[in-house]
Amino acid sequence: MKPDEFLETLYLGDRGCKAVLLDGWNDEVKIQIDLISRKRSETWDFYSAEDVEDGFLVFEGVDYVSFDPPGYVPNDQIGDRQFLGYDGDRFTLMIELGHCDSTGKYTNVKTTIRAKSVAIERPGEESARIRD
């Protein structure tokens, strides 16, 4: 499944970003999300058979990542996603990851990632990534 098609099967509404892991040795960015749901039809409709609790959205073959504004560690809700297109064998995605500080001030962090592929990873199951 192409990355844009795969990403369209994910429901991340009202979900939270728990961690962002940058793995330079393996060219990966992992976003840990409190609950990843799959959307197997036009609407989500509360389908939960394929839910992955505390799972990772894994971007593989990453050669670029940026956070705008810089300096904030994402720790709150996941906002808009925008598939920005393909460039050769890579695609670019912008995903808004929220940051909330101890005073309640909220900031949207536009996270842009350029990668070769994307998958879902269950905690502790690194060798069995979900790709379809």
Side-chain angles (χ1 to χ4, degrees):
M1 184 178 291
K2 293 172 60 173
D4 57 333
E5 295 167 349
F6 181 80
L7 290 163
E8 283 297 315
T9 72
L10 303 181
Y11 177 79
L12 302 176
D14 69 314
R15 306 300 164 84
C17 174
K18 294 181 76 173
V20 177
L21 303 163
L22 304 175
D23 182 346
W25 280 20
N26 291 309
D27 297 328
E28 292 182 345
V29 173
K30 294 182 178 185
I31 301 173
Q32 188 175 30
I33 301 168
D34 63 342
L35 186 66
I36 300 171
S37 294
R38 300 303 296 274
K39 185 175 71 171
R40 296 299 189 171
S41 64
E42 286 295 314
T43 59
W44 172 49
D45 204 25
F46 299 96
Y47 173 69
S48 63
E50 297 177 77
D51 282 1
V52 177
E53 191 171 336
D54 292 330
F56 294 90
L57 186 56
V58 182
F59 295 90
E60 303 163 317
V62 173
D63 69 352
Y64 177 85
V65 62
S66 70
F67 302 94
D68 182 27
Y72 293 94
V73 177
N75 65 358
D76 208 284
Q77 75 180 26
I78 297 179
D80 291 338
R81 291 179 290 168
Q82 190 174 23
F83 191 85
L84 301 175
Y86 288 95
D87 184 15
D89 65 345
R90 296 182 195 277
F91 67 93
T92 303
L93 175 79
M94 186 285 299
I95 183 169
E96 289 182 347
L97 303 175
H99 169 81
C100 189
D101 69 16
S102 60
T103 67
K105 180 183 173 206
Y106 189 84
T107 304
N108 273 322
V109 181
K110 291 184 179 182
T111 305
T112 303
I113 301 168
R114 187 171 53 225
K116 288 186 177 181
S117 59
V118 61
I120 297 170
E121 181 180 291
R122 294 181 188 280
E125 296 183 20
E126 293 82 10
S127 63
R129 290 181 175 167
I130 300 164
R131 301 177 185 286
D132 59 2

